[in-house]
Amino acid sequence: MAAAALRAQLNAHITGMYTDGVMDEDTFEELRDEGTAVEVSRLFIYDASKIIDDIDILMEEPKVDFDEVEALTQHLMRCTSSVGAQQVNLACMHFGNFYAIQYKHGCLMSLALVRNEF
């Protein structure tokens, strides 16, 4: 009984993430069908969290290495595509607009958006 209630709650949460545009339904359903959704999601959460923390550390430096920030952001965007995390990917693209012009304040504001969407 409890397992069925938890499964229903999980399915409702996943459906809400599709509806809100947090995740791409086709991508995630493909992972579910392959039986890899849990593992890919776990890896995404671990990797994305580490990458965001690494970007945050770089942004705290007096002289920011924007090339390294770009490389990490590109890696994060590849991670987001593995699970269909659309909102995180969009936030990364917004962040990219600021590191491309090396505008630190804009980067810090949009990095907060990336972290929030994550």
Side-chain angles (χ1 to χ4, degrees):
M1 179 73 162
L6 286 174
R7 180 168 299 282
Q9 187 178 20
L10 175 62
N11 287 335
H13 180 69
I14 291 170
T15 299
M17 290 191 314
Y18 298 155
T19 302
D20 294 341
V22 174
M23 291 177 58
D24 176 63
E25 183 173 2
D26 293 335
T27 302
F28 196 73
E29 287 302 322
E30 184 177 317
L31 293 172
R32 280 177 122 181
D33 292 345
E34 295 170 359
T36 60
V38 172
E39 182 64 17
V40 170
S41 297
R42 185 189 64 75
L43 288 172
F44 164 71
I45 291 167
Y46 175 80
D47 291 346
S49 178
K50 173 100 173 77
I51 293 167
I52 292 169
D53 288 345
D54 289 347
I55 293 171
D56 197 36
I57 289 168
L58 287 172
M59 294 306 303
E60 290 175 6
E61 295 294 321
K63 175 127 174 62
V64 176
D65 182 348
F66 285 101
D67 290 335
E68 183 65 21
V69 170
E70 179 180 12
L72 286 169
T73 304
Q74 294 301 319
H75 185 202
L76 179 59
M77 291 174 74
R78 286 189 299 276
C79 290
T80 64
S81 67
S82 69
V83 293
Q86 298 172 328
Q87 297 300 328
V88 178
N89 194 41
L90 289 172
C92 286
M93 291 183 343
H94 184 260
F95 179 68
N97 292 332
F98 291 109
Y99 70 66
I101 60 171
Q102 299 187 0
Y103 180 51
K104 185 175 181 175
H105 183 69
C107 283
L108 292 171
M109 290 187 326
S110 62
L111 182 57
L113 176 63
V114 170
R115 188 176 297 280
N116 184 60
E117 291 300 333
F118 171 68

